[in-house]
Amino acid sequence: MLQIDSVSKLYKGGDKALDNISFSVEQGEFISVIGKSGAGKTTLFRMLNGMIKPTTGSIIINNQDLAKLKGKKKRDIQKTIGTIYQDFCLVDTLTCFDNVLNGALAERNAFQALFGIFSKEQKEYAEKQLEAVGLSEKMYSYAGKLSGGQKQRVAIARALMSKPDIILADEPVASLDPYSAEQITDILVQLNKQYNMTVIMNSHSVELALKKSDRIIGIADGKLVLDKKSPEVTNEDIRFVYGGAYEKYE
Ligand SMILES: Nc1ncnc2c1ncn2[C@@H]1O[C@H](COP(=O)(O)OP(=O)(O)O)[C@@H](O)[C@H]1O
Ligand SMILES: [Mg+2]
């Protein structure tokens, strides 16, 4: 469903953030991307959701080259990808419900967008998504009042509004305590199992990555240095990805 083909990214100023990366992803896989800070993980994710273009190489989603698409065709592909972030990116002064509804913004016509009108179906669907992440009772609480774990649940519910095939999660649990981190990861696992949604997440918790995902992709200095099924990943592999700097994993 997703093919990353010889992708490199050279930022203005000369930093080569990604260097000839290739891998493909099947629908329904749960992949963790690991690597040191600055390895190029966020760059990869921003390319996968079409926010930036590769300098060379291509990203093929459902047989379409993302970098070559424009306008509605690009937005249609982008709708199939839901992204969540470390810092949640919610509007703190809106309720959880309104934050989730905002995930349907792309679906509205110009008239609806102008007057902030959502359809009954969209409202019902937003309620359902909050229920799915276990946050019904906080529906009308302001997002700013929630704990980190609760905020990330809202962000997941918002991402689900466009009925994505892929969830991209860029360090979704980096701001959370270990208990909430596992809970959030478990919600992603559940979406993966229940709806066969593809999940690509990146996490500094190697333990969590190995425990929850099917496959581990390691990036070091912009290069793909590891691509294995989780049970086959060794201590040596992990140390290699982290350039010998990783001690914790036993
Ligand atoms: N917008 C940007 N402009 C220039 N260089 C960037 C930009 N974003 C990231 N980089 C550089 O690209 C490399 C990879 O960064 P990033 O993808 O954020 O890594 P990670 O998410 O693994 O920490 C780093 O060297 C970083 O400094
Ligand atoms: Mg990053």
Side-chain angles (χ1 to χ4, degrees):
M1 68 166 323
L2 174 60
Q3 234 177 304
I4 293 95
D5 238 338
S6 313
V7 160
S8 295
K9 177 70 189 178
L10 202 66
Y11 282 113
K12 287 193 189 92
D15 251 343
K16 197 165 198 180
L18 288 178
D19 190 359
N20 201 22
I21 295 235
S22 298
F23 62 94
S24 50
V25 179
E26 302 286 334
Q27 178 74 43
E29 277 194 284
F30 192 125
I31 297 177
S32 282
V33 179
I34 61 170
K36 284 201 279 196
S37 289
K41 305 179 298 295
T42 295
T43 301
L44 175 66
F45 280 50
R46 291 175 69 211
M47 244 164 347
L48 293 181
N49 68 15
M51 281 169 68
I52 57 173
K53 286 184 185 176
T55 311
T56 55
S58 53
I59 290 172
I60 312 287
I61 300 182
N62 294 330
N63 301 318
Q64 298 184 83
D65 187 339
L66 187 56
K68 294 205 175 115
L69 298 176
K70 283 192 186 137
K72 186 175 180 315
K73 280 197 173 142
K74 183 175 179 189
R75 285 197 301 278
D76 281 346
I77 286 283
Q78 285 179 311
K79 272 196 282 185
T80 68
I81 305 163
T83 309
I84 60 170
Y85 305 90
Q86 175 178 354
D87 58 1
F88 322 119
C89 297
L90 301 178
V91 182
D92 282 347
T93 52
L94 289 181
T95 63
C96 294
F97 181 65
D98 285 336
N99 267 288
V100 174
L101 262 180
N102 277 342
L105 276 176
E107 306 278 342
R108 300 185 306 175
N109 63 36
F111 175 82
Q112 288 177 311
L114 192 60
F115 293 100
I117 302 166
F118 290 95
S119 69
K120 186 162 165 272
E121 286 75 25
Q122 286 170 327
K123 288 179 183 173
E124 282 171 4
Y125 199 70
E127 256 187 74
K128 268 201 201 136
Q129 303 321 303
L130 273 168
E131 207 178 291
V133 297
L135 217 58
S136 293
E137 83 278 16
K138 295 285 181 191
M139 186 124 66
Y140 300 112
S141 302
Y142 289 105
K145 302 271 184 205
L146 303 178
S147 71
Q150 290 169 332
K151 284 182 184 175
Q152 198 58 290
R153 285 167 194 250
V154 176
I156 294 172
R158 180 183 54 189
L160 294 175
M161 285 302 286
S162 64
K163 305 180 179 147
D165 300 323
I166 308 176
I167 297 273
L168 283 180
D170 191 1
E171 308 228 13
V173 302
S175 306
L176 307 180
D177 63 80
Y179 178 73
S180 307
E182 181 149 14
Q183 276 192 324
I184 292 298
T185 313
D186 282 341
I187 291 176
L188 298 176
V189 170
Q190 190 196 332
L191 292 171
N192 171 254
K193 298 260 183 293
Q194 197 169 345
Y195 303 107
N196 203 34
M197 235 176 242
T198 305
V199 178
I200 308 177
M201 79 173 236
N202 102 47
S203 168
H204 281 301
S205 172
V206 174
E207 289 83 357
L208 213 53
L210 286 168
K211 195 161 123 191
K212 307 290 182 183
S213 33
D214 308 319
R215 177 175 163 199
I216 307 286
I217 285 180
I219 299 181
D221 284 331
K223 296 185 177 70
L224 191 141
V225 295
L226 174 69
D227 184 356
K228 277 189 182 175
K229 299 272 180 207
S230 303
E232 293 162 15
V233 173
T234 64
N235 281 318
E236 188 92 334
D237 291 331
I238 303 290
R239 272 196 290 273
F240 187 65
V241 171
Y242 285 90
Y246 195 79
E247 302 294 342
K248 252 188 339 195
Y249 178 65
E250 290 303 334

